[in-house]
Amino acid sequence: MNTVNSVALGDPIRVPIVRPERSPVARGTIDLRAEPDAASELVDQALFGEELTILGRQGGWVYAQGEDGYFGWAPATGLGPPAPAGTGRMVVVHGAVVRAAPDPAASAVDTLAPGTIVEGPAEPGWLRCAGGWLAESDTLPLDALPARPPVAADLLATAATFLGVPYLWGGLTARGIDCSGLIQQVYRLNGVALPRDADQQALSGRAVTIPRDGDLVFFGEAAVTHTAIATGPETFFHAPKKGGFVEPGALGDGRRVLAIRRFLP
């Protein structure tokens, strides 16, 4: 799959996106714990009015990410009703073309990445944004996106749409992306916020010894210099190096694994 060629030819690739529910804290303070147990280790606290992103449920507990980026289990009784989805629309393709006029033959003036939120139609079938016009068909209403916790299959489906994208240091889009940018965008499009750099990402989530689908694998010698998203115990997707493309990879190619982290319950 070559995402870049598809974008260049005006055939944008549909990106699977999940928007987990976000619920406000309804008490003065609620605890986030390492396990769904009131006696488990306290890992963070969330304050009244802060919104938690719900990534899983077990009994009377929710696994959530707070506004500060930390993950933990919180009592569901401490949360208010989910926040409304909103009335806008979200870009759901790579390289959505913004045109100079509401006409598919008009010249391109910009592109928008998946996950971008825009307002409703300004002309039948078109949205006014970014100094031009975006085809409504490249978007979905926010309330039409899956409002549920993401699962590993969601992460891998999103990651697969980046296969063939060229490596670009500092890049974040289908025109070019680097290893940690790929990871950040895959998780962002499934409702999970991660730091930008690989060494920062390696400090988030929970440490595990054997990767499963959707986990992050970190490589390096003395320090973390590379990351990938696991597609199994020994395989992954990654953006390998300058001159390369996002591609499948496997353990045992000379890279030294320094950490494996899990972000879903």
Side-chain angles (χ1 to χ4, degrees):
M1 179 189 301
N2 193 317
T3 302
V4 178
N5 288 344
S6 295
V7 170
L9 292 172
D11 182 22
I13 291 175
R14 172 73 162 84
V15 181
I17 296 176
V18 173
R19 292 191 86 218
E21 291 181 347
R22 295 174 58 88
S23 294
V25 176
R27 298 177 181 170
T29 305
I30 63 170
D31 296 337
L32 272 68
R33 298 193 174 272
E35 302 293 340
D37 184 334
S40 180
E41 176 190 3
L42 177 67
V43 296
D44 197 14
Q45 290 184 319
L47 308 181
F48 178 80
E50 292 183 9
E51 286 191 338
L52 300 185
T53 300
I54 309 304
L55 302 176
R57 297 179 184 273
Q58 182 173 318
W61 295 80
V62 297
Y63 185 71
Q65 183 177 33
E67 291 184 5
D68 58 5
Y70 278 80
F71 300 83
W73 290 93
T77 53
L79 300 178
T87 58
R89 301 179 70 90
M90 181 175 286
V91 175
V92 293
V93 299
H94 283 301
V97 178
V98 179
R99 301 192 179 277
D103 182 336
S107 60
V109 298
D110 207 344
T111 58
L112 296 179
T116 304
I117 296 177
V118 295
E119 294 304 316
E123 293 285 343
W126 294 87
L127 312 173
R128 180 83 181 186
C129 64
W133 297 87
L134 176 69
E136 187 177 2
S137 59
D138 287 343
T139 70
L140 281 178
L142 293 178
D143 60 7
L145 295 166
R148 58 169 175 77
V151 296
D154 296 317
L155 298 172
L156 297 192
T158 302
T161 68
F162 285 89
L163 290 171
V165 170
Y167 182 91
L168 175 65
W169 177 267
L172 287 175
T173 75
R175 294 186 178 277
I177 202 163
D178 62 19
C179 67
S180 58
L182 170 67
I183 298 306
Q184 187 187 51
Q185 293 309 302
V186 166
Y187 271 81
R188 178 182 71 87
L189 293 170
N190 287 280
V192 182
L194 295 185
R196 177 63 177 87
D197 294 335
D199 58 346
Q200 299 169 332
Q201 294 170 357
L203 300 176
S204 302
R206 308 184 307 286
V208 295
T209 56
I210 299 176
R212 69 185 185 196
D213 292 3
D215 289 348
L216 300 188
V217 184
F218 297 92
F219 305 89
E221 293 300 326
V224 170
T225 58
H226 186 62
T227 184
I229 182 167
T231 57
E234 298 185 353
T235 58
F236 49 79
F237 293 150
H238 69 150
K241 59 184 177 181
K242 183 177 180 179
F245 298 84
V246 177
E247 64 184 11
L251 299 180
D253 61 359
R255 297 183 186 272
R256 181 186 179 197
V257 176
L258 293 185
I260 304 168
R261 309 294 287 192
R262 182 167 297 159
F263 298 86
L264 300 185

